[in-house]
Amino acid sequence: MPSVSDRLPAFPWDRLEPYKTAAAAHPDGIVDLSVGTPVDPVPALVRRALTDAADSPGYPTVWGTGELRDAITGWCERRLGARGIGHRNVLPVVGSKELVAWLPTQLGLGAGDRVAFPRLAYPTYEVGARLAGAEPVAYDDPTELDPEGLKLLWLNSPSNPTGKVLGAEELRRVVAWAREHDVLVFSDECYLELGWETEPVSVLDPRVCGDSCAGVVAVHSLSKRSNLAGYRAAFIAGDAGILGELLHIRKHGGMMSPAPVQAATVAALGDDAHVAEQRARYTARRTALRGALESAGFRIEHSEASLYLWATRDESCWETVSDLSKRGILVAPGDFYGPAGERFVRVALTATDERISAAVRRLGE
């Protein structure tokens, strides 16, 4: 049998292991700012909802409970400004990474089809294209792409890794172009509730998609805004035809969010207070880290949203990674996200207050 893994690039995080070992040797321990994994508690109301639903012996449904679909449609209307969103316009997924990796395959893409994503981007967009046997295409401006054979266009705002935010006018321009050329748009908006210097806009905002979400789907996750990375709680919303097709395929594949997680998601989407509390934590950490990095000679670019600072000292990203590891600080090299990031590092805000304070001290030494 041919090896599917032969289609894929080397797993980038394996290259970071020697620097992780070096950082862990620091007398005061490692400050791991490399992976954006939440470290703060799961909100109490979410944990209660999960445990209250623990006695769930039957199979959950792929489409989710009616309560879950109500929670998602209500949140999309309230938070994204989406109009006309009903149950047929939403679909829970088992974490957004699963969706990104397997979407081209589930859409039936393959040889001769093209999947486009930002030049600096989350690596799983490319992985998803390669798993399907499609051609991955990186872009600076998607409207400059040749639309021939282009079947799927990924947007990512706020961006991982740069934190760059696309405004409503820019999103509207891209959506109009994609519709003109019959290209499906999936917009990864997992950091949308973490805007610091600007207010991120969803592709489902009427200023972007008008009165219809035809050809447009937004991807959302509760991992960052609600500290639910361990729950694998996420959903997509938008074009009912596309979501109906995916629902049918995912039923056959048994891609079900566990019933207790569905109940926890309902609780999380219905409460804005815990999101504000978590934003306050990240705001304080971001302020402290940004000041320390700039005082240490780094320049911060973009980073107006998301959970990262996109930082450079105008040197090889691996030189920066090596230097910081000697101070017990681990960051992600920018070339993990494409060759255009080779002189940057991505610094995550996802560490405890105590570890952030340790990083600030070390950067000042």
Tab-separated table of all heavy atoms in Angstrom, residues 7-9 11-12 97 100-102 104-105 117 122-133 136:
chain	number	residue	atom	x	y	z
A	7	ARG	N	2.973	11.991	1.584
A	7	ARG	CA	2.483	13.232	0.979
A	7	ARG	C	2.732	14.440	1.880
A	7	ARG	O	2.593	15.579	1.436
A	7	ARG	CB	0.969	13.153	0.750
A	7	ARG	CG	0.479	12.009	-0.104
A	7	ARG	CD	-1.042	12.036	-0.134
A	7	ARG	NE	-1.612	10.850	-0.756
A	7	ARG	CZ	-2.901	10.546	-0.733
A	7	ARG	NH1	-3.758	11.380	-0.124
A	7	ARG	NH2	-3.338	9.461	-1.303
A	8	LEU	N	3.043	14.165	3.149
A	8	LEU	CA	3.060	15.230	4.150
A	8	LEU	C	4.469	15.717	4.438
A	8	LEU	O	5.443	14.959	4.329
A	8	LEU	CB	2.422	14.732	5.448
A	8	LEU	CG	1.013	14.135	5.323
A	8	LEU	CD1	0.516	13.676	6.680
A	8	LEU	CD2	0.052	15.154	4.711
A	9	PRO	N	4.597	16.979	4.836
A	9	PRO	CA	5.902	17.477	5.264
A	9	PRO	C	6.302	16.855	6.598
A	9	PRO	O	5.475	16.247	7.287
A	9	PRO	CB	5.670	18.993	5.404
A	9	PRO	CG	4.206	19.114	5.692
A	9	PRO	CD	3.532	18.005	4.944
A	11	PHE	N	6.931	16.626	10.482
A	11	PHE	CA	6.185	17.280	11.561
A	11	PHE	C	7.089	18.337	12.185
A	11	PHE	O	8.137	18.010	12.780
A	11	PHE	CB	5.754	16.258	12.608
A	11	PHE	CG	4.825	16.821	13.647
A	11	PHE	CD1	3.568	17.297	13.292
A	11	PHE	CD2	5.198	16.877	14.981
A	11	PHE	CE1	2.699	17.813	14.240
A	11	PHE	CE2	4.339	17.387	15.933
A	11	PHE	CZ	3.083	17.864	15.567
A	12	PRO	N	6.741	19.623	12.060
A	12	PRO	CA	7.695	20.682	12.411
A	12	PRO	C	8.100	20.700	13.880
A	12	PRO	O	9.248	21.022	14.206
A	12	PRO	CB	6.967	21.966	12.019
A	12	PRO	CG	5.520	21.602	11.985
A	12	PRO	CD	5.473	20.167	11.557
A	97	LYS	N	-9.126	21.594	14.318
A	97	LYS	CA	-8.003	21.031	13.564
A	97	LYS	C	-8.453	19.835	12.742
A	97	LYS	O	-8.034	19.651	11.590
A	97	LYS	CB	-6.863	20.630	14.501
A	97	LYS	CG	-5.637	20.114	13.748
A	97	LYS	CD	-4.424	19.961	14.637
A	97	LYS	CE	-3.206	19.565	13.808
A	97	LYS	NZ	-1.966	19.520	14.608
A	100	VAL	N	-10.142	21.198	9.668
A	100	VAL	CA	-9.192	21.757	8.702
A	100	VAL	C	-8.451	20.645	7.962
A	100	VAL	O	-8.290	20.690	6.735
A	100	VAL	CB	-8.192	22.700	9.411
A	100	VAL	CG1	-7.089	23.145	8.447
A	100	VAL	CG2	-8.907	23.912	9.983
A	101	ALA	N	-8.011	19.634	8.701
A	101	ALA	CA	-7.202	18.575	8.092
A	101	ALA	C	-7.986	17.719	7.114
A	101	ALA	O	-7.443	17.271	6.099
A	101	ALA	CB	-6.592	17.701	9.184
A	102	TRP	N	-9.272	17.480	7.404
A	102	TRP	CA	-10.034	16.536	6.600
A	102	TRP	C	-11.068	17.186	5.681
A	102	TRP	O	-11.729	16.489	4.914
A	102	TRP	CB	-10.720	15.512	7.506
A	102	TRP	CG	-9.705	14.641	8.183
A	102	TRP	CD1	-9.334	14.662	9.503
A	102	TRP	CD2	-8.891	13.651	7.553
A	102	TRP	NE1	-8.339	13.752	9.732
A	102	TRP	CE2	-8.044	13.107	8.553
A	102	TRP	CE3	-8.786	13.168	6.254
A	102	TRP	CZ2	-7.120	12.108	8.289
A	102	TRP	CZ3	-7.856	12.164	5.987
A	102	TRP	CH2	-7.039	11.647	6.991
A	104	PRO	N	-10.794	19.079	2.827
A	104	PRO	CA	-10.662	18.821	1.390
A	104	PRO	C	-11.062	17.399	1.008
A	104	PRO	O	-11.697	17.179	-0.031
A	104	PRO	CB	-9.173	19.088	1.122
A	104	PRO	CG	-8.770	20.056	2.194
A	104	PRO	CD	-9.533	19.616	3.407
A	105	THR	N	-10.720	16.429	1.849
A	105	THR	CA	-11.103	15.045	1.578
A	105	THR	C	-12.617	14.891	1.617
A	105	THR	O	-13.229	14.253	0.743
A	105	THR	CB	-10.446	14.104	2.605
A	105	THR	OG1	-9.029	14.188	2.471
A	105	THR	CG2	-10.888	12.671	2.391
A	117	PHE	N	-4.313	29.033	0.693
A	117	PHE	CA	-4.238	29.490	2.082
A	117	PHE	C	-3.184	30.589	2.167
A	117	PHE	O	-2.344	30.735	1.267
A	117	PHE	CB	-3.877	28.321	3.011
A	117	PHE	CG	-2.716	27.498	2.521
A	117	PHE	CD1	-1.404	27.873	2.772
A	117	PHE	CD2	-2.934	26.348	1.766
A	117	PHE	CE1	-0.334	27.129	2.301
A	117	PHE	CE2	-1.878	25.594	1.278
A	117	PHE	CZ	-0.568	25.985	1.560
A	122	TYR	N	-1.173	28.622	9.530
A	122	TYR	CA	-1.310	27.372	10.260
A	122	TYR	C	-0.989	26.215	9.309
A	122	TYR	O	-1.601	26.103	8.236
A	122	TYR	CB	-2.762	27.324	10.728
A	122	TYR	CG	-3.222	26.200	11.591
A	122	TYR	CD1	-2.501	25.769	12.695
A	122	TYR	CD2	-4.454	25.587	11.333
A	122	TYR	CE1	-2.979	24.760	13.507
A	122	TYR	CE2	-4.948	24.578	12.138
A	122	TYR	CZ	-4.191	24.157	13.222
A	122	TYR	OH	-4.688	23.161	14.020
A	123	PRO	N	-0.042	25.345	9.635
A	123	PRO	CA	0.400	24.331	8.670
A	123	PRO	C	-0.682	23.336	8.243
A	123	PRO	O	-0.555	22.707	7.193
A	123	PRO	CB	1.519	23.594	9.428
A	123	PRO	CG	1.960	24.525	10.494
A	123	PRO	CD	0.756	25.328	10.873
A	124	THR	N	-1.750	23.193	9.019
A	124	THR	CA	-2.743	22.160	8.726
A	124	THR	C	-3.554	22.468	7.472
A	124	THR	O	-4.137	21.563	6.873
A	124	THR	CB	-3.662	21.949	9.944
A	124	THR	OG1	-2.851	21.819	11.109
A	124	THR	CG2	-4.498	20.694	9.808
A	125	TYR	N	-3.595	23.718	7.024
A	125	TYR	CA	-4.257	24.004	5.745
A	125	TYR	C	-3.557	23.241	4.625
A	125	TYR	O	-4.202	22.615	3.774
A	125	TYR	CB	-4.233	25.500	5.424
A	125	TYR	CG	-4.826	26.403	6.470
A	125	TYR	CD1	-4.145	27.546	6.890
A	125	TYR	CD2	-6.068	26.144	7.035
A	125	TYR	CE1	-4.682	28.389	7.846
A	125	TYR	CE2	-6.615	26.982	7.987
A	125	TYR	CZ	-5.907	28.108	8.398
A	125	TYR	OH	-6.439	28.937	9.345
A	126	GLU	N	-2.237	23.303	4.601
A	126	GLU	CA	-1.471	22.583	3.583
A	126	GLU	C	-1.607	21.082	3.777
A	126	GLU	O	-1.761	20.325	2.806
A	126	GLU	CB	-0.001	22.977	3.635
A	126	GLU	CG	0.852	22.220	2.635
A	126	GLU	CD	2.317	22.595	2.672
A	126	GLU	OE1	2.677	23.554	3.383
A	126	GLU	OE2	3.117	21.922	1.977
A	127	VAL	N	-1.553	20.627	5.027
A	127	VAL	CA	-1.685	19.204	5.310
A	127	VAL	C	-3.010	18.664	4.766
A	127	VAL	O	-3.064	17.592	4.164
A	127	VAL	CB	-1.569	18.948	6.829
A	127	VAL	CG1	-2.033	17.538	7.192
A	127	VAL	CG2	-0.133	19.162	7.291
A	128	GLY	N	-4.102	19.408	4.980
A	128	GLY	CA	-5.401	18.972	4.496
A	128	GLY	C	-5.422	18.797	2.991
A	128	GLY	O	-5.988	17.821	2.465
A	129	ALA	N	-4.803	19.739	2.281
A	129	ALA	CA	-4.737	19.616	0.812
A	129	ALA	C	-3.954	18.375	0.413
A	129	ALA	O	-4.373	17.611	-0.467
A	129	ALA	CB	-4.098	20.867	0.221
A	130	ARG	N	-2.831	18.149	1.066
A	130	ARG	CA	-1.977	17.016	0.712
A	130	ARG	C	-2.637	15.681	1.055
A	130	ARG	O	-2.486	14.698	0.322
A	130	ARG	CB	-0.618	17.147	1.393
A	130	ARG	CG	0.203	18.330	0.869
A	130	ARG	CD	1.615	18.346	1.402
A	130	ARG	NE	2.378	19.465	0.893
A	130	ARG	CZ	2.949	19.512	-0.308
A	130	ARG	NH1	2.838	18.466	-1.126
A	130	ARG	NH2	3.624	20.569	-0.699
A	131	LEU	N	-3.352	15.618	2.169
A	131	LEU	CA	-4.056	14.383	2.514
A	131	LEU	C	-5.065	14.000	1.422
A	131	LEU	O	-5.271	12.813	1.145
A	131	LEU	CB	-4.780	14.540	3.852
A	131	LEU	CG	-3.927	14.456	5.110
A	131	LEU	CD1	-4.748	14.847	6.338
A	131	LEU	CD2	-3.350	13.051	5.292
A	132	ALA	N	-5.680	14.998	0.827
A	132	ALA	CA	-6.680	14.748	-0.225
A	132	ALA	C	-6.046	14.505	-1.586
A	132	ALA	O	-6.754	14.115	-2.535
A	132	ALA	CB	-7.639	15.936	-0.306
A	133	GLY	N	-4.750	14.742	-1.702
A	133	GLY	CA	-4.102	14.615	-3.004
A	133	GLY	C	-4.285	15.840	-3.877
A	133	GLY	O	-4.002	15.800	-5.081
A	136	PRO	N	-1.631	22.208	-2.869
A	136	PRO	CA	-1.663	23.351	-1.960
A	136	PRO	C	-1.062	24.591	-2.619
A	136	PRO	O	-0.038	24.503	-3.305
A	136	PRO	CB	-0.803	22.887	-0.778
A	136	PRO	CG	0.143	21.885	-1.360
A	136	PRO	CD	-0.556	21.253	-2.536
